[in-house]
Amino acid sequence: MDKKDYLLLVIAAVVTVYGFTLLTKQQPAPPYPLYEDDVAGEVQPDPGALSQPDVEPRPSGEAVAGQAPQADPSLLDDFTDLEPAEPVVLTTDEAVFTFLPETGGIATIDLPDMDITLGSADLPMMVVQPEDGEWRFSQARVTRQEADGFTVARQVLGRPLILEQTYTIVPDTYQLRCVVSLRNVGEAPVEVESLRLRAGVIPDLGTPKGFMGAAGMDQRIDYLPIGKKDPKTLALKALGKADAEDRLEWKTTDTRWLATQNKYFATIISGESAFSGIDGGSASELAMAIYAQPIAPRSYRGVVARLGDASRALTVELAAGDDSAVSVPARVHLPKYASSATFQVQLAEDVAITSLPPEMVIRATAPEYIGATTSVSSTLLREKDFVLPEPHIVGYVYLPGDLLSPGESATYDLTLYTGPKRFKTLLALGDNKESLMQFDSFLFMRLTWFEYISRGILWLLTTFHGMTHSYGIAIMLITLILRLLFWPVTHKSTVMSRKMQAIQPLAKELREKYKQDPRKLQEKTMELYRQHKVNPISGCLPAFVQIPAFFALFNVLRNAVELRHASFLWATDLALPDTIAHIPLLGLPINPLALLMGISMVLQMKVVPTSADPSQQRMMMVMSGMMIIFLYTMPSGLTLYWTANQILNIFQYRITHNIMDKREAEAAATAKSA
């Protein structure tokens, strides 16, 4: 083997190792780092501090349902002696909305036809709080409740303000209209600062990310700044790494709408007037998780990881239970935007231990964090065994403040979409919300004309599905149509490739004859091409022509919610890999479509030789192996397309060569008879 072959083997080995890691990976990496290079938390070891009243308020700020607030002398008569309000449920043909009046927000949104629940009872959507600080509220008073909506009012404790939220279902859509009204019931003007509204809480779907994220982002936030045509995108990872400067920019950007989304579903909030800014982060129904790793014979580095809203400070109380041999700090403080903090776990000197004991349990409590009203007991695990559950992504919008005269109200008329990311549905919403589908994405660019190609392929997909009632068959029909559409250029390329192979002996003679004179070699080679009417560049033409169509189809198949839960043959979900089993011990998934794709690629190389050079053939073989690794964890809808495309390419090649063989035989017979 020459140097190129050795280099090729090294590249293949690196890709194989990476692919093995990718295939055996059970869960994606947590959105925030859990290491010492993360934003450091502050450890407060004073045991007496547990009883101090300086604990930070709950980040979400809303009252916990069922807990009566402390007596307030300024409480109005309408809000005294109220019982905790029961949840309110509004039902449509598309969705079931569950509201928590005590928070003024939406707990969950069930989409029965989609088999998914959006939102979180621990982090209700449409909750209103000031940008800085926290309001405490009276018990909620439901002033209107009908089949299509309801109104809830709460008084801000200690201030002459009443917050009223009116929800109304928009028929035959996934939309809610929400009117937020803040009224000054006092006798003096009240200045209301900018309000922070939790606009979306979306879970992770666990969809395949593919090699280097090629299968698409699962959780992200998109927002459309005033004066811009295209929205900006913030992936969950980018939100986790954002610094204070980034967030200040977001909070001061006038915005038309904000979408909090995963791969197939979104909540989109818009208003009659612009929002004064946006923000985002991650959250989970779990308040925190803990792990530790040994740093000395009896010492461990512990990490408490916040799985909730990181936009406010959080204080975590720690206790080692009844185990007197274990010593931990009394409390750990996580500053604003810090996702984790380290602390030290110390074992007593009389404890003989060589490994981390599985029975060591640390009870962690964050009293101010909604969803952590009881202790979270976590067994300390080694770092390699520590797995974070997938978080929700949370989006916020800021409503501009106002100076309210006595009796005056500040009103914000909002519309909230909560449903699937279907192109037609988003297009009907207007204001370029269909851009969430990213149909205009071409390589690393956003091209308007490219969206129309993607829309055409989506139309074909839905049309063929309506005819065949199978998205798998629809994908294969689209593949066939694209092959027929590009048949002329592919045929021309195949003919030119055959002519190139025919003159290879002559080209080799020229290389030997003029190997010491590159300039003369180039002249003679071009003369040879002209003599035999060969254009080497035309062989690459089909690949360039088909690239836009391929990427458009790629965009559609990786983003179309229609493929979710759509089955074909043994694939139970075309939005996921078609895994039928796992290899024992190794844990590698067995994905038949991906394997068939690999077999078809190898078969294509045998049937459609691209070069007689053994070195180039080996390179193509390695590239085929790399492609299998790249596409192995892709959604099965994509691998189905690629497999069908490879098989059709083989048939097309054989048909073209049979035609050419027949023509050459006829030409030879004619010449012989003459």
Side-chain angles (χ1 to χ4, degrees), residues 518-528 530:
R519 189 171 182 178
K520 191 71 172 178
L521 174 62
Q522 184 178 7
E523 292 177 359
K524 290 296 183 179
T525 301
M526 296 307 297
E527 183 180 330
L528 178 66
R530 286 192 296 269

Side-chain angles (χ1 to χ4, degrees), residues 533-606:
K533 299 179 181 181
V534 172
N535 184 357
I537 300 178
S538 64
C540 304
L541 181 62
F544 286 109
V545 172
Q546 294 180 61
I547 283 176
F550 168 76
F551 274 96
L553 182 61
F554 184 77
N555 283 343
V556 171
L557 295 184
R558 73 174 181 171
N559 291 320
V561 69
E562 289 83 358
L563 296 184
R564 184 172 179 263
H565 295 169
S567 61
F568 180 67
L569 299 177
W570 57 82
T572 58
D573 191 338
L574 290 174
L576 298 173
D578 59 320
T579 303
I580 59 173
H582 288 79
I583 299 176
L585 300 179
L586 295 178
L588 287 171
I590 300 174
N591 301 338
L593 276 176
L595 295 174
L596 284 174
M597 176 194 68
I599 294 172
S600 67
M601 292 179 69
V602 174
L603 183 61
Q604 180 183 354
M605 285 191 302
K606 299 295 184 183

Side-chain angles (χ1 to χ4, degrees), residues 638-658:
L638 281 171
T639 52
L640 174 63
Y641 157 73
W642 194 262
T643 303
N645 183 67
Q646 295 295 109
I647 293 174
L648 287 175
N649 186 44
I650 294 172
F651 278 106
Q652 184 175 356
Y653 177 86
R654 293 309 310 164
I655 291 172
T656 300
H657 273 261
N658 287 339

Side-chain angles (χ1 to χ4, degrees), residues 135 156-162 182-195 400-410 412:
W135 284 344
V156 180
L157 298 183
R159 304 190 70 179
L161 294 173
I162 292 179
L182 196 62
R183 180 161 51 97
N184 180 5
V185 295
E187 299 179 354
V190 176
E191 185 172 359
V192 178
E193 59 267 50
S194 175
L195 301 177
D402 201 356
L403 178 64
L404 301 181
S405 301
E408 187 181 5
S409 297
Y412 309 92

Side-chain angles (χ1 to χ4, degrees), residues 109 111 118 174 264-268 417-422 426:
I109 303 159
L111 307 178
L118 307 179
Y174 292 92
Y264 298 124
F265 300 92
T267 62
I268 310 172
Y417 172 85
T418 57
K421 289 160 60 176
R422 288 198 182 101
L426 298 178

